[in-house]
Amino acid sequence: MSGNCKIVKGLSLLGIVYGIVQIVVGAICFFGAADVAGMVGIDDPVITAQVLGVVLAVSGVFLIVTGFVGARGANRPSKLMPFIVLATIFTFVNLFGLAMIITGGSGAVWPNLLQAAVGLSAVLAASRAQKEAMER
């Protein structure tokens, strides 16, 4: 296994773990939404918490799928194209979220910036691994 394949496998496993964490946090947000009913400054905090929970859970499932595709593809670099596509989508979604925060949205900048950097690293490593496999 080449160095780029090891990077892809490592980032894929990191994505799987992060996806599981997102699903757990999403479930806590969704099912614990009644506990935020007293928050001030949000029009309907229960619905906001439930929507956040659903978004986190869907994002977590996407990350788990992407991670499995990447981990499987790292063993066969010629089969990495689906991972490259999914990781590119992940990167662009995070860049879009970053742009929304910068242009007046709310939230922390660093999580989206970090996720976009990890996604871009995964795309570059997978592309290099795929290129190496084609040259053999």
Side-chain angles (χ1 to χ4, degrees):
M1 185 178 287
S2 72
N4 287 319
C5 288
K6 289 178 184 177
I7 292 171
V8 169
K9 184 162 276 218
L11 291 175
S12 296
L13 295 176
L14 178 69
I16 291 170
V17 170
Y18 190 61
I20 291 169
V21 170
Q22 278 191 328
I23 291 172
V24 169
V25 171
I28 291 170
C29 285
F30 186 82
F31 294 113
D35 295 336
V36 298
M39 289 186 66
V40 179
I42 300 175
D43 291 335
D44 194 351
V46 174
I47 292 178
T48 303
Q50 287 178 336
V51 168
L52 177 64
V54 170
V55 169
L56 281 172
V58 169
S59 176
V61 169
F62 181 80
L63 271 174
I64 289 173
V65 169
T66 302
F68 276 124
V69 170
R72 182 181 59 99
N75 296 327
R76 285 189 171 155
S78 61
K79 305 267 184 187
L80 277 171
M81 187 51 73
F83 175 73
I84 293 170
V85 170
L86 291 172
T88 302
I89 292 169
F90 175 75
T91 302
F92 279 122
V93 166
N94 280 295
L95 289 175
F96 179 73
L98 182 65
M100 298 264 307
I101 291 170
I102 290 173
T103 59
S106 63
V109 171
W110 69 269
N112 284 335
L113 191 60
L114 180 64
Q115 291 174 7
V118 169
L120 182 62
S121 299
V123 169
L124 292 175
S127 298
R128 289 180 190 145
Q130 189 177 33
K131 185 179 177 184
E132 289 171 359
M134 292 174 112
E135 289 176 354
R136 290 183 205 170

